C-alpha cells in the first residue's frame, strides 16, 4: 500500500502493464530478440504517419512496461 502511495504514476503504469504481460502469457519486450516471432501486448504511446507519393508509412510505438518496440505498416494510412 505504501508503495502505491509513494510511487510515480509512470512506475505504477509500467507495473500494471507488466502484470498484463504475465496474465496474457506474452513475451516481455525487454527479452525479445530481433527477428524472433513472438506475441506481445502493451499500450500504444505514439503514432506517426508519413505520407509519401509512393508508399505511405504508419508507425506506432508499443510499450509494455519493460520496453518498447516500433510497429511499422507500409502502404497503410490507417489501422482499423
Amino acid at each position: 500500500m505504501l508503495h502505491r502511495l509513494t510511487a510515480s504514476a509512470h512506475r505504477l503504469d509500467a507495473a500494471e502493464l507488466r502484470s498484463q504481460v504475465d496474465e496474457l502469457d506474452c513475451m516481455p519486450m525487454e527479452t525479445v530478440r530481433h527477428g524472433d516471432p513472438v506475441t506481445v501486448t502493451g499500450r500504444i504511446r505514439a503514432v506517426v504517419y508519413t505520407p509519401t507519393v509512393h508508399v505511405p508509412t504508419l508507425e506506432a510505438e508499443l510499450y509494455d512496461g519493460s520496453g518498447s518496440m516500433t510497429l511499422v505498416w507500409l502502404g497503410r494510412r490507417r489501422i482499423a
Side-chain angles (χ1 to χ4, degrees), residues 3-68:
H3 169 72
R4 292 191 62 83
L5 293 173
T6 59
S8 69
H10 176 73
R11 286 183 188 250
L12 292 173
D13 186 47
E16 180 183 329
L17 287 169
R18 283 192 303 271
S19 70
Q20 289 176 359
V21 169
D22 294 337
E23 288 173 13
L24 297 172
D25 197 31
C26 294
M27 176 88 57
M29 286 186 211
E30 67 185 356
T31 62
V32 172
R33 293 186 322 211
H34 182 72
D36 288 347
V38 295
T39 301
V40 295
T41 186
R43 184 174 297 139
I44 299 291
R45 291 202 303 188
V47 176
V48 176
Y49 171 65
T50 308
T52 61
V53 175
H54 301 290
V55 180
T57 304
L58 183 65
E59 296 182 18
E61 179 187 6
L62 183 67
Y63 176 70
D64 76 345
S66 69
S68 63

